[in-house]
Amino acid sequence: MPTGRPLTRRALPDTIAPGWLVVQVFGTVFIAVTLLTAREDAAPVWALYSAAAGCWLAFVALDRRRPGPAAACLAMGALLSAAALGLAGDGSAIILTSVVLGRFAALAVPSVAAIMATGVAAMALSVLTWPLYGASAADALGQAALLLALTLIGINHRQHVVQRRHAELLLEQTRRAQAEHARAAALDERTRIAREIHDVLAHSLGALGVQLELAEAVLEERADVPTALVTVRRARRLATEGLAEARNAVAALRQDIPALTDALAALAEAHRRDHRSAVRFDPSGTPRPLSSAAAVSLLGTAREALTNAAKHAPGEPVSMTLDFTGDRVRLRVANPLTGGGVPTESPGFGLAGMRERLALAGGTLTSEQDGGQWQVTAEVPE
């Protein structure tokens, strides 16, 4: 891959003397030398020479600021110098015409049709004015063929210039699109990290708050220090586990996630230990690697579903299945309904939070009441 230094060296000549400036300088020098060495005595020829040279100077002055009028001046200069071909007695007119017409044909501003029209007009003027000098038809046609060749060569160069400019524009647009894509990806990553950390901390801190309230009640109402110590130790363990879950969430979002089956089994074991309720976890199918977003979404959905089960059906058994069959991975969490009722939508948590998390990973969420069971099913593509 090229390094920055060679690129700088290649760009240095364009910075010192751009290609367009070199052409303008050399063209001006050629025209000046042509006029100084011309041996014409006829006033009309010199009038045409002077007008064509004035058009060239106007082009040089306007080219970078107003390219449209500059191109029009150059076209007029090409026609004026072509009109002098049949009147001039030496080769000064053909040199002047070649420089002006060749430069005009290479411009990117006028259309190809305008360039061809100017070239044909210059050829017509050269052929029509040659009888005034008394030259043969072969000489006139030879001059016209030369002008046609210069026009075609200039158009060919123009096409390369236009293609290069289009390529540069496309490259710049691609760079901008890539920069916007990288910025959007970074914002999406920040959003996912913030959402995951928010859900993890809300889950952990909520459980921690319950344990601390219980310890406070035990101390105030019964002065039962041993029970309070057990509760405080449990709260400390919940804080440690919550911090570990937060770290795992960040690691998962950085493509360093553990196996989904192992992570769900650990989540089920933690729920069984903390809430004193049975959790059955049954994976099926051949485990396959998932994207970071899909794995984190399923983990977050399982965590939220277990939290809802503990809230709305405390002490009731929970069944959790992970199915790897087909082209999608399906997670299903079910628990009996008790007096707590059906989980409801709430901003940032519950079913709304699950659906938002899964939608970012291209997944879906369905929830339904089947007899006395409340069931949540999440699906994500592989």
Side-chain angles (χ1 to χ4, degrees):
M1 181 177 292
T3 59
R5 183 171 296 178
L7 288 176
T8 303
R9 290 178 179 176
R10 287 197 295 268
L12 186 59
D14 288 339
T15 303
I16 296 177
W20 63 268
L21 181 59
V22 174
V23 173
Q24 317 295 55
V25 170
F26 274 92
T28 303
V29 171
F30 267 93
I31 291 175
V33 172
T34 300
L35 294 179
L36 290 175
T37 57
R39 296 187 302 272
E40 294 296 333
D41 296 328
V45 175
W46 278 104
L48 293 174
Y49 282 177
S50 300
C55 290
W56 174 268
L57 294 177
F59 160 73
V60 172
L62 297 175
D63 184 35
R64 305 305 295 177
R65 295 176 297 173
R66 303 186 64 184
C73 292
L74 203 59
M76 181 60 65
L79 296 178
L80 290 172
S81 59
L85 285 173
L87 302 176
D90 59 7
S92 300
I94 191 60
I95 295 175
L96 185 61
T97 305
S98 299
V99 172
V100 179
L101 181 60
R103 183 69 185 104
F104 175 74
L107 293 178
V109 175
S111 64
V112 175
I115 295 174
M116 287 300 302
T118 304
V120 170
M123 287 185 288
L125 287 173
S126 65
V127 172
L128 293 176
T129 55
W130 265 97
L132 299 177
Y133 186 68
S136 65
D139 293 337
L141 293 176
Q143 295 284 8
L146 176 61
L147 296 182
L148 176 61
L150 289 173
T151 303
L152 295 178
I153 292 173
I155 290 176
N156 181 67
H157 176 74
R158 172 192 182 276
Q159 295 304 105
H160 287 290
V161 172
V162 170
Q163 291 176 0
R164 186 180 71 249
R165 292 182 180 179
H166 287 171
E168 292 174 353
L169 180 60
L170 181 61
L171 178 60
E172 181 62 25
Q173 292 176 346
T174 302
R175 288 175 178 171
R176 292 180 181 177
Q178 290 175 345
E180 288 298 323
H181 178 73
R183 179 175 176 272
L187 291 177
D188 180 65
E189 183 72 4
R190 292 176 185 176
T191 302
R192 288 200 294 136
I193 291 176
R195 180 181 296 106
E196 194 63 27
I197 295 299
H198 178 273
D199 290 349
V200 168
L201 292 181
H203 172 75
S204 302
L205 294 179
L208 179 61
V210 171
Q211 296 298 323
L212 292 177
E213 289 179 2
L214 178 59
E216 182 181 6
V218 169
L219 288 175
E220 285 185 353
E221 297 176 4
R222 296 183 298 184
D224 189 349
V225 175
T227 303
L229 286 176
V230 171
T231 306
V232 170
R233 292 190 185 102
R234 187 181 299 117
R236 183 177 62 184
R237 189 183 73 250
L238 289 173
T240 303
E241 292 175 354
L243 181 60
E245 288 182 1
R247 290 173 178 170
N248 290 336
V250 175
L253 290 170
R254 293 178 177 175
Q255 308 293 334
D256 188 21
I257 188 171
L260 180 60
T261 303
D262 297 339
L264 289 174
L267 191 63
E269 177 61 29
H271 183 84
R272 185 185 303 112
R273 182 184 62 247
D274 294 337
H275 298 278
R276 303 289 195 273
S277 60
V279 180
R280 187 184 66 188
F281 173 56
D282 296 321
S284 62
T286 303
R288 297 182 294 275
L290 298 177
S291 66
S292 173
V296 169
S297 299
L298 289 178
L299 279 174
T301 301
R303 184 183 299 111
E304 193 68 42
L306 290 175
T307 300
N308 282 341
K311 178 180 178 181
H312 297 282
E316 296 293 336
V318 181
S319 65
M320 184 164 57
T321 59
L322 182 65
D323 184 7
F324 280 98
T325 59
D327 59 350
R328 299 178 71 84
V329 179
R330 182 181 297 104
L331 172 69
R332 182 177 291 109
V333 182
N335 60 272
L337 289 174
T338 61
V342 176
T344 58
E345 303 282 348
S346 58
F349 296 94
L351 301 179
M354 295 185 210
R355 287 195 178 94
E356 183 180 0
R357 182 186 293 110
L358 287 165
L360 293 175
T364 59
L365 176 76
T366 58
S367 57
E368 58 183 351
Q369 181 179 354
D370 184 10
Q373 292 278 330
W374 174 252
Q375 181 174 282
V376 175
T377 304
E379 291 186 358
V380 294
E382 293 186 7

